[in-house]
Amino acid sequence: MADYATVTDPAEDQAERRFERIIGNSAALESVLEQVEQVAPTDSTVIIVGETGTGKELIAHAIHNASQRYGRSCIKLNCAAIPLDLLESELFGHEKGAFTGAIAQKIGRFEMADKGTLFLDEVGDIPPALQPKLLRVLQEQEFERLGSGRTHKVDVRLVAATNRDLVKMVLRGQFRSDLYYRLNVFPITLPALRERRADIPALVSHFVKIFSRRMKKQVDSIPPETMSSFQWYSWPGNIRELQNMVERAVILSRDGVLPNPLYKRRTGPIILSLQRAQMAPPSGTWEDSDRALIVETLELAGWVVGGPRGAATKLGLKRTTLLAKMRRLGISRPLSQAGTDVMGVA
């Protein structure tokens, strides 16, 4: 995400390329980057764990860029974005006529990533019926396309990512334990943005530079009170939410000054959360702040989660992500809202 000057030293160039879009120097981020440097030169499987919006794809690319496979393909597949009945074909490919609609041969992502890296995002969404086939290709580096008995050999380095608790999924029988252990060779846990607040000023400045250039607007000043609000807010949507909020602020900017977008929604949950955070005793936790923010937003949305007027949209989150956070934080519909479906869509 950063702009860098051209360098001539090959060692400096490699280090720069490795983390070229990763902004920040907090202790939490430095710990992650140290792990990337340790595992990247190997061919070991890596699983990146973290909340939505924490930059899992960036870390996956950093691993690839720092590996011996740099210069080869780095192929991505979001397992949650592909219909379940098509996911096997996306992974392994198919032959013409393998199923209805298969009018031509298709190469799967494993073949595309041969000699390179395959990044499987949201790996926890792979259905149980497909998990044994993924386990096999990880163990044996071989597979068959759908509709073919021919075995294909590949040399693929796998990097997986998830925002789900795979251990709990294993205990519930939703995820194979042997596949979990095969993926969990080298786990990297990404900190939430609220756990690396020291990086927020650099991230804000970086996004301001990007959006002001893109919109051809001059933003020369970020008032201290605006930056303070960015640092106080709990960012349930993490860096992705911060990026969207800065974009909004650049749109609203006048006379070269970045306004405070968190205070524009005067009756919304963000200002309430900021006021609470600024008055909260040191013993309070950011988890408490997240819980309060989500509850306030749900109340404003009438306890409707999805849809254009639902709490998820107001918080800048996916509906499934918000529901997962509600379960983790123990948030449920109050008895007084018995007539409202908390799972509803506005």
Side-chain angles (χ1 to χ4, degrees):
M1 288 183 270
D3 292 328
Y4 294 99
T6 301
V7 294
T8 56
D9 187 323
E12 290 181 11
D13 182 60
Q14 183 183 24
E16 193 167 291
R17 182 192 73 223
R18 188 174 301 169
F19 303 132
E20 62 183 352
R21 298 178 61 206
I22 298 173
I23 304 297
N25 56 11
S26 64
L29 181 60
E30 290 294 333
S31 175
V32 168
L33 299 186
E34 182 180 348
Q35 294 176 71
V36 169
E37 290 186 317
Q38 289 173 330
V39 74
T42 74
D43 276 336
S44 297
T45 300
V46 179
I47 185 163
I48 305 168
V49 181
E51 296 179 9
T52 297
T54 49
K56 295 187 284 293
E57 185 174 351
L58 281 180
I59 296 300
H61 279 286
I63 293 170
H64 174 74
N65 290 345
S67 74
Q68 313 248 341
R69 296 172 183 260
Y70 177 73
R72 301 279 187 169
S73 298
C74 182
I75 303 297
K76 174 191 172 182
L77 178 65
N78 186 327
C79 301
I82 306 296
L84 298 183
D85 55 343
L86 297 179
L87 186 55
E88 183 174 1
S89 173
E90 286 293 326
L91 286 170
F92 307 120
H94 65 252
E95 298 292 342
K96 180 179 179 180
F99 52 84
T100 302
I103 59 175
Q105 184 189 76
K106 176 183 174 67
I107 302 300
R109 304 301 172 97
F110 271 98
E111 277 186 87
M112 293 180 191
D114 191 25
K115 303 296 190 299
T117 303
L118 176 61
F119 173 49
L120 291 184
D121 200 6
E122 305 299 348
V123 72
D125 287 80
I126 292 179
L130 194 51
Q131 292 173 20
K133 295 186 178 182
L134 177 59
L135 177 62
R136 181 199 170 196
V137 73
L138 293 180
Q139 290 179 331
E140 309 296 337
Q141 293 278 287
E142 63 181 33
F143 66 93
E144 290 85 33
R145 293 183 196 145
L146 278 170
S148 170
R150 180 187 168 195
T151 298
H152 294 266
K153 285 279 189 181
V154 287
D155 174 15
V156 174
R157 199 269 181 83
L158 182 75
V159 178
T162 184
N163 61 7
R164 305 180 70 176
D165 190 331
L166 294 185
V167 173
K168 289 183 178 178
M169 292 181 67
V170 168
L171 294 175
R172 291 195 295 261
Q174 298 171 334
F175 204 84
R176 289 179 63 106
S177 60
D178 47 5
L179 177 57
Y180 167 73
Y181 294 127
R182 187 65 187 78
L183 291 172
N184 201 45
V185 174
F186 195 92
I188 297 178
T189 301
L190 299 193
L193 186 55
R194 61 185 172 275
E195 296 168 353
R196 42 176 294 213
R197 294 180 183 274
D199 293 332
I200 290 177
L203 285 162
V204 170
S205 298
H206 171 68
F207 289 134
V208 166
K209 182 178 180 181
I210 287 178
F211 291 119
S212 59
R213 184 170 58 226
R214 188 177 298 171
M215 299 176 195
K216 296 181 172 53
K217 297 188 73 170
Q218 181 118 4
V219 179
D220 303 310
S221 172
I222 303 177
E225 59 270 20
T226 297
M227 188 64 79
S228 176
S229 294
F230 277 121
Q231 289 189 278
W232 270 112
Y233 181 47
S234 60
W235 299 112
N238 292 293
I239 298 173
R240 187 176 296 128
E241 183 186 8
L242 173 65
Q243 178 178 343
N244 294 340
M245 197 66 72
V246 172
E247 182 177 6
R248 179 187 306 171
V250 172
I251 293 171
L252 297 170
S253 65
R254 293 181 180 178
D255 302 320
V257 178
L258 190 78
N260 185 348
L262 295 168
Y263 279 93
K264 288 295 180 183
R265 294 159 59 179
R266 302 241 173 230
T267 59
I270 290 180
I271 182 60
L272 298 174
S273 177
L274 282 166
Q275 291 172 340
R276 176 178 285 100
Q278 290 165 345
M279 296 184 294
S283 59
T285 66
W286 295 117
E287 187 172 278
D288 294 335
S289 176
D290 278 355
R291 182 182 290 106
L293 174 61
I294 290 172
V295 169
E296 287 165 356
T297 310
L298 284 165
E299 289 173 347
L300 285 168
W303 286 85
V304 174
V305 174
R309 295 188 299 276
T313 299
K314 293 178 184 295
L315 290 167
L317 299 174
K318 293 180 181 177
R319 177 177 176 273
T320 52
T321 300
L322 177 55
L323 289 171
K325 284 180 176 289
M326 289 170 62
R327 286 192 293 270
R328 178 170 60 81
L329 296 171
I331 298 173
S332 59
R333 178 183 57 190
L335 294 177
S336 61
Q337 299 285 337
T340 304
D341 182 6
V342 72
M343 305 289 285
V345 176

